[in-house]
Amino acid sequence: DKGLSKTKESVFGKIARAIAGKSKVDDEVLDNLEEVLITSDVGVETTLKIIKRIEKRVAQDKYVNTDELNGILREEIAALLTENNTVDAESFNIPEGKAPYVIMVVGVNGVGKTTTIGKLAYQFKKAGKSVYLGAADTFRAAAVEQLMIWGERVGVPVIKQKMGSDPASVAFDTLSSAVANHADVVIIDTAGRLHNKIGLMNELTKIKNVMQKVVPDAPHEVLLVLDGSTGQNAFEQAKQFTLATEVNAMAITKLDGTAKGGVVIGISDQFKIPVKYIGLGEGMEDLQIFRRREFVDSLFG
Ligand code: GDP
């Protein structure tokens, strides 16, 4: 896979190097492996968990060679990855009776939120669904403009108001239009301001409450977008956003440009929230459904 090649080369290459010339898993191999995982942004906690499990297997099986280590690592990593199973994401089908299916997208500025929304709109539209976008990041003119550009590119309506207007009001308008026009999917962009935890929480709660006046079980999905190339920052953002609102899906972007796909493993393990999509470029098509087997294969080549 072209998109994940950097991730693959790096993690697999590093693991290969860490165990090169070794016939059996010993302390030195485990130390090297630990270093590879940490430098691949897996995170200390998850890395130690993986190393501990491998130590246990090595102790159990008495003798484990480095080929077997690869297989064990794959199994252990796959077990830590949480796949999405709430929606038939593969065909972009929405659950029965859930139209309009409302996705509220959260994340800090610059992580690829708008781009991910555009790519999602494209995929849903390609799957024959009608889509409405809501420009509820009313704090940045650029955010609204970017969303408008994506709306035009994909051919879906974007509901907006003037700058500085109430984000909840934009969300309300978007859901109202979507319902009136029997739309299948609504995707709401939100402001990515993290400067004030209580502020963020209040803002997202207000948007949710107002949306529920139109669609009582909205939002069906709170999708947190994280930049996969930012390592510890992505962990910190996941922490802040999961405290502020009930995130139930994640999209991890820019995995095409990073040699450190390990962030997906650590975040998935620590937050137990399904990774639903991965971003692999700036284009419309550069969004993939996250499948853990495929992902693990891509790490190990
Ligand atoms: P937002 O501020 O979170 O809405 O971020 P944008 O969607 O505007 O994206 C910020 C920058 O990251 C833009 O230049 C995007 O083209 C780029 N970007 C977004 N997703 C990806 C991705 O998966 N891969 C790469 N290489 N670039 C991306």
Side-chain angles (χ1 to χ4, degrees), residues 107-116 119 137 140 143 146 150 189 225 227 252-257 278-283 286:
V108 306
N109 298 332
V111 294
K113 227 172 350 134
T114 314
T115 308
T116 302
K119 292 170 178 176
D137 181 352
R140 291 185 307 155
Q146 275 300 115
W150 272 103
D189 190 15
V225 181
D227 179 340
I252 302 186
T253 65
K254 307 190 194 181
L255 288 178
D256 53 309
I278 52 177
L280 295 170
E282 305 191 73
D286 298 329

Side-chain angles (χ1 to χ4, degrees), residues 124-252:
F124 276 114
K125 197 177 175 218
K126 208 167 83 171
K129 305 285 184 283
S130 56
V131 183
Y132 270 71
L133 302 182
D137 181 352
T138 59
F139 299 93
R140 291 185 307 155
V144 180
E145 277 161 27
Q146 275 300 115
L147 201 66
M148 297 292 292
I149 291 170
W150 272 103
E152 263 171 46
R153 192 179 292 164
V154 177
V156 300
V158 179
I159 306 298
K160 60 164 185 166
Q161 290 177 8
K162 63 178 191 299
M163 287 307 300
S165 56
D166 184 354
S169 163
V170 177
F172 183 88
D173 277 4
T174 311
L175 265 64
S176 302
S177 295
V179 167
N181 292 288
H182 309 288
D184 300 305
V185 181
V186 176
I187 310 175
I188 303 288
D189 190 15
T190 64
R193 299 180 304 170
L194 249 192
H195 61 269
N196 172 348
K197 251 176 267 178
I198 303 294
L200 177 72
M201 196 183 298
N202 289 344
E203 195 169 291
L204 296 176
T205 303
K206 188 175 174 197
I207 295 176
K208 279 187 181 182
N209 290 341
V210 170
M211 288 200 290
Q212 285 166 4
K213 292 185 177 165
V214 189
V215 177
D217 55 349
H220 302 99
E221 188 169 315
V222 178
L223 180 69
L224 172 63
V225 181
L226 297 170
D227 179 340
S229 67
T230 58
Q232 283 309 304
N233 282 338
F235 281 82
E236 187 54 31
Q237 289 161 20
K239 198 167 136 197
Q240 300 302 335
F241 276 93
T242 50
L243 286 173
T245 188
E246 280 168 56
V247 175
N248 59 8
M250 291 196 289
I252 302 186

